Amino acid sequence: QVQVVESGGGLVQAGGSLRLSCSASGRTFGGYAVGWFRQAPGKEREFVASISWSGGRTNYKGSVQGRFTISRDNAKNTVYLQMNTLKPEDTAVYLCAAGPLYSSDWSGYDYWGQGTQVTVSS
């Protein structure tokens, strides 16, 4: 069992930056792909970014490509999402998930955190 905890959310002005962290406890993240998803009020959960267990492969939602960077430090059991040039439409609860498959499909992930709120003001 892997317990997943997100941190780093907050309120930022448009154009600003935030770095989200996703930490694991119980078991290590090693061997698991990790994905970031987000959900805004009244909208469906959507894929943001994913990273393979080794960190060698990454994938991004088109609208965040070039602005967001996902990375991982397996020694620290932590995955990061660096978010730059934030836009009001990035406002959402950001959720981290771990699973055996490197995927953009949320159903492929087994372990989920509670989420961290990101609010971007215009």
Side-chain angles (χ1 to χ4, degrees), residues 52-75:
S52 61
W53 70 268
S54 68
R57 291 184 294 169
T58 58
N59 188 26
Y60 297 92
K61 174 182 173 63
S63 63
V64 309
Q65 182 84 45
R67 299 189 296 124
F68 292 9
T69 303
I70 189 171
S71 62
R72 68 190 299 162
D73 185 338
N74 285 338

Side-chain angles (χ1 to χ4, degrees), residues 18-100:
L18 283 174
R19 188 177 78 158
L20 305 184
S21 297
C22 175
S23 299
S25 62
R27 289 184 59 181
T28 68
F29 266 150
Y32 287 100
V34 173
W36 282 98
F37 296 79
R38 65 188 183 188
Q39 189 162 18
K43 295 187 177 180
E44 293 188 351
R45 186 180 307 179
E46 64 176 7
F47 168 77
V48 176
S50 61
I51 189 166
S52 61
W53 70 268
S54 68
R57 291 184 294 169
T58 58
N59 188 26
Y60 297 92
K61 174 182 173 63
S63 63
V64 309
Q65 182 84 45
R67 299 189 296 124
F68 292 9
T69 303
I70 189 171
S71 62
R72 68 190 299 162
D73 185 338
N74 285 338
K76 295 183 178 180
N77 249 355
T78 303
V79 173
Y80 305 98
L81 185 68
Q82 177 67 44
M83 305 186 297
N84 299 328
T85 320
L86 283 160
K87 304 176 181 180
E89 51 264 42
D90 294 319
T91 295
V93 174
Y94 282 70
L95 302 116
C96 177

